[in-house]
Amino acid sequence: MLRVFFSLFLIIPWLSFAGVSLSEQRIIYQGEISAKNNQHVAQLLAEQPSINSIQITSGGGNVDLGMDLAELILAHNLKVHVKQFCFSSCANYVLLAGNPTTIAKNAIVGWHGDAASARWRDSDIDAMVSHLKEPEKTTKWQALRTHYDEIIAKAVTREKAFYAKRGVNHDLLTIGLSKELKRAAVAQKARGWSYSKKALNTLNVSNIEFADWQPRSAKNFPLLIISELGD
């Protein structure tokens, strides 16, 4: 059984600062997961071994960079704190890396797909080669299609290995892509989905401390709420 509730609650607070900073023994990571921000995290961890946690507010970023950040967190056995917002690559990887991860009462956490669903569309590649003439245009198009498909294939393999290592059911990233939920998302103009504590436990997510958190949406960021999973 799968039950879905859609709700509109909070307004996502605007970030007053985007980037990486340090507050005592905690790294503050705000904004897109990027190579620059990850490098800053790695530098801080190398320079200050006393750092014990990372607080993240992020709408995500490149899937490989999300996994890079998660691997850094795992390597340094950091706690992860989500106080406001964690979506896409932040939820896919960083959320699962904390030892433990704590989610604040009013935080918004959401998913919208796995690495495989990030495949470049043909129309995107069409735009990249629109300035070229034949036969160069077709040759370049095919080369780009192969290149991007190889990138996604490598990310898919890495992602599945990460989930196996964490002991988490990979369905966490794909349940919301089912036909039933896609129709619900379109009808409700949802950006993705979130899970109840019970549903997350069913998917073997065991490193999260929820306190009094419940899944929720924002007025400008609606999410489908998946409350229960089963056969």
Side-chain angles (χ1 to χ4, degrees):
M1 176 176 62
L2 182 151
R3 294 191 301 167
V4 178
F5 294 95
F6 180 79
S7 55
L8 293 170
F9 286 101
L10 306 175
I11 297 174
I12 299 169
W14 291 102
L15 293 178
S16 58
F17 165 82
V20 173
S21 61
L22 189 62
S23 176
E24 296 181 349
Q25 294 178 308
R26 177 177 296 184
I27 291 171
I28 310 298
Y29 195 119
Q30 298 197 137
E32 180 184 3
I33 297 176
S34 67
K36 179 181 179 181
N37 286 343
N38 287 358
Q39 288 165 4
H40 194 176
V41 170
Q43 180 181 352
L44 288 172
L45 290 170
E47 293 173 350
Q48 302 195 43
S50 62
I51 291 171
N52 58 27
S53 63
I54 180 169
Q55 179 179 311
I56 187 165
T57 303
S58 177
N62 176 278
V63 294
D64 276 305
L65 293 176
M67 285 186 273
D68 288 347
L69 180 57
E71 294 290 355
L72 265 176
I73 292 166
L74 288 171
H76 291 269
N77 197 33
L78 301 180
K79 299 174 185 176
V80 171
H81 302 283
V82 176
K83 290 192 172 182
Q84 293 180 317
F85 185 67
C86 183
F87 187 72
S88 189
S89 291
C90 178
N92 288 12
Y93 315 116
V94 178
L95 201 73
L96 303 180
N99 184 29
T101 292
T102 61
I103 305 178
K105 179 180 179 179
N106 293 322
I108 297 170
V109 177
W111 291 261
H112 70 118
D114 61 349
S117 64
R119 183 179 185 271
W120 274 261
R121 296 172 298 181
D122 287 351
S123 59
D124 295 331
I125 301 176
D126 290 342
M128 295 178 191
V129 300
S130 61
H131 63 290
L132 300 176
K133 297 183 181 297
E134 296 293 357
E136 182 185 5
K137 184 175 184 178
T138 296
T139 301
K140 183 65 173 179
W141 193 99
Q142 292 172 341
L144 287 170
R145 177 78 277 168
T146 298
H147 172 68
Y148 290 128
D149 287 349
E150 288 175 350
I151 290 174
I152 293 298
K154 289 178 181 177
V156 167
T157 299
R158 183 183 180 188
E159 179 183 87
K160 289 182 177 178
F162 175 81
Y163 269 69
K165 179 169 68 174
R166 300 304 292 153
V168 176
N169 189 332
H170 187 264
D171 289 349
L172 177 77
L173 305 184
T174 59
I175 287 173
L177 301 177
S178 68
K179 290 182 179 180
E180 174 190 353
L181 294 188
K182 276 187 175 181
R183 286 195 296 268
V186 170
Q188 303 290 351
K189 297 182 180 179
R191 301 285 294 273
W193 64 90
S194 191
Y195 294 101
S196 69
K197 302 174 191 178
K198 182 177 180 180
L200 286 170
N201 288 333
T202 300
L203 292 164
N204 297 328
V205 178
S206 60
N207 71 309
I208 296 178
E209 293 182 353
F210 300 103
D212 52 359
W213 174 83
Q214 297 291 338
R216 62 194 65 223
S217 299
K219 286 184 177 180
N220 60 340
F221 206 92
L223 296 172
L224 295 174
I225 307 300
I226 300 175
S227 63
E228 189 171 338
L229 299 171
D231 297 332

